[in-house]
Amino acid sequence: MKNISLKAFALSAVALSLTSCEDDSSLLISEGQAQFRIIAPVDGDAIFLDKDYPNNPALTVSWEDAVYNGAPTQVNYSIEVDKDGDNFDSPYVLGTSTGNSLTFKVSELNTAAATIGLAPNALGTMNVRIKATIGTVGAEPMLSNVVNYSVTPYLSYLFKDYYFVGAATAPGWNNNNNNTPLWRNPSNSSLYEFTGYFVGGGGGTSEFKILETLGLWQPQWGTNDGGAQSGALAGNPATQSGDPGVFKITGPSGYYKFSMNMATGVRTFSITPYTGSTSTTYSVIGMIGSAAGGWADSNQINMTPLASDPHVWYANNVALANGELKFRANNGWTVNWGSNTEYSGTGTQGGPNIPVTGTTYNVWFNDLTGQYMLIPASN
């Protein structure tokens, strides 16, 4: 009996020794040595991101090897960036590599800057670090030093805008005549609409199309369904090589809502009479707020109504700052509109302040619907 016990004890000791060695090996592999360092950029480096050259190289990040104890293993690197002071609580991963260097384009770095919250057209600080990991279970990541990198990003306006052209609409058949934009739904950027005055009757003066870029005839949108008041959109060059047919207001001249869904695979439109009241008009519509220079009455930026529609207002080439604004009527606060969505939205009476990212805008406002558009003038 004693012999059996001794043998069992010896076998247990060997097994324990093997397990211990295996664990030690895992621990050795998962423990890094001294912190590795970023070679480039260095603290204090800075760059101005030029939106006219989005594919130019903007930043090259290079770093030392992260050396792990134990058997050789592949090291995976993530280049992380965050806004200065945010302590990498929710870092943006700029790129990944198994090597020691990565180069990023202007557009890539600008997207990173916007994502972490750096304001456009202003110098901001982006913190850069490298996180190294290996495939071993339980391995702890190694972190490099942090480099402070200064960036001046540009406004990253990623939306598509659409404009009216044609005899039934305010600009006529001039493709660069302060053409009225369609309002974009902030909850679904494929949905567009406009409520306003159209010339009707079904003849040549009731025709119009949709353009994507002021001053250019392509891309353009219309319909091949004649005088249909709803149906499929047709576009050159999106759906065909030739120009599409015109939209028509077959009813009498008056107020209509034009809607279109630009989602790929859908692309439909509708024209419906506007049934709300158009009797209330305002002598003044203005923008006011910290984005417009302050909340004092003297800071109000007055808008101009369309000659053909007293309910649609515009102000072109308006320099706005980072801040907030509201729209208001007749130089007072009795009637005012606000919302919480940037660039486009629907203002409601007494609603919240509209957030604004500073740049120069063409601003449009519809007092029938409260809908507004802030379109970067250089877009």
Side-chain angles (χ1 to χ4, degrees):
M1 293 291 292
K2 188 179 286 187
N3 267 345
I4 294 173
S5 297
L6 286 171
K7 286 179 181 176
F9 175 78
L11 288 171
S12 297
V14 170
L16 182 60
S17 173
L18 288 172
T19 302
S20 176
C21 288
E22 196 172 286
D23 289 345
D24 286 346
S25 174
S26 177
L27 287 170
L28 284 170
I29 292 173
S30 66
E31 291 177 357
Q33 292 181 334
Q35 181 188 54
F36 67 107
R37 299 191 61 79
I38 295 175
I39 300 170
V42 298
D43 268 329
D45 279 357
I47 187 170
F48 173 84
L49 299 176
D50 192 335
K51 67 179 180 180
D52 293 328
Y53 301 96
N55 294 318
N56 277 10
L59 170 66
T60 296
V61 182
S62 57
W63 57 92
E64 301 170 340
D65 285 327
V67 181
Y68 283 81
N69 293 322
T73 185
Q74 177 176 290
V75 180
N76 304 305
Y77 299 98
S78 296
I79 296 83
E80 298 183 337
V81 297
D82 207 350
K83 188 176 180 180
D84 189 36
D86 283 358
N87 300 316
F88 291 93
D89 294 329
S90 300
Y92 177 83
V93 178
L94 191 55
T96 59
S97 177
T98 56
N100 294 88
S101 179
L102 276 178
T103 297
F104 302 98
K105 298 185 295 186
V106 167
S107 59
E108 293 172 324
L109 196 58
N110 195 73
T111 297
T115 303
I116 65 176
L118 296 187
N121 307 314
L123 189 66
T125 301
M126 173 186 289
N127 289 344
V128 184
R129 76 178 184 189
I130 314 295
K131 182 169 73 173
T133 58
I134 56 177
T136 305
V137 175
E140 292 294 326
M142 288 179 64
L143 299 175
S144 74
N145 61 313
V146 175
V147 170
N148 298 316
Y149 189 62
S150 296
V151 179
T152 303
Y154 53 86
L155 181 68
S156 185
Y157 182 82
L158 304 177
F159 303 105
K160 184 172 284 189
D161 297 306
Y162 295 90
Y163 302 87
F164 286 104
V165 68
T169 64
W173 284 109
N174 188 330
N175 66 7
N176 196 9
N177 185 29
N178 195 35
N179 301 58
T180 315
L182 279 73
W183 174 81
R184 182 183 58 254
N185 189 319
S187 299
N188 184 341
S189 60
S190 294
L191 301 180
Y192 295 80
E193 65 181 54
F194 171 80
T195 298
Y197 184 84
F198 291 83
V199 176
T205 57
S206 67
E207 299 174 346
F208 65 96
K209 291 184 178 184
I210 302 295
L211 301 178
E212 292 190 20
T213 305
L214 294 178
L216 298 178
W217 284 107
Q218 268 76 35
Q220 68 170 257
W221 294 89
T223 177
N224 292 323
D225 295 335
Q229 300 297 279
S230 64
L233 288 164
N236 178 4
T239 67
Q240 58 196 53
S241 58
D243 290 348
V246 295
F247 302 106
K248 285 187 180 183
I249 303 295
T250 56
S253 297
Y255 284 83
Y256 291 83
K257 182 171 80 170
F258 176 85
S259 303
M260 63 183 193
N261 186 333
M262 296 302 293
T264 302
V266 180
R267 290 178 173 158
T268 56
F269 78 96
S270 66
I271 302 170
T272 55
Y274 176 68
T275 57
S277 173
T278 59
S279 59
T280 300
T281 58
Y282 303 102
S283 58
V284 177
I285 293 288
M287 295 177 284
I288 191 169
S290 58
W295 293 97
D297 290 345
S298 59
N299 294 118
Q300 178 170 297
I301 300 172
N302 290 336
M303 305 182 74
T304 302
L306 285 177
S308 60
D309 189 341
H311 298 289
V312 177
W313 303 75
Y314 66 92
N316 289 330
N317 297 309
V318 178
L320 298 177
N322 293 326
E324 301 173 322
L325 64 75
K326 299 188 84 170
F327 296 94
R328 66 178 190 170
N330 299 337
N331 301 315
W333 290 103
T334 303
V335 180
N336 70 87
W337 296 265
S339 184
N340 59 3
T341 55
E342 191 172 10
Y343 303 123
S344 69
T346 301
T348 57
Q349 169 64 25
N353 298 338
I354 299 167
V356 176
T357 297
T359 194
T360 300
Y361 289 96
N362 295 327
V363 184
W364 292 82
F365 179 73
N366 189 324
D367 68 45
L368 290 179
T369 62
Q371 294 171 341
Y372 58 87
M373 289 284 290
L374 278 71
I375 303 173
S378 60
N379 184 49

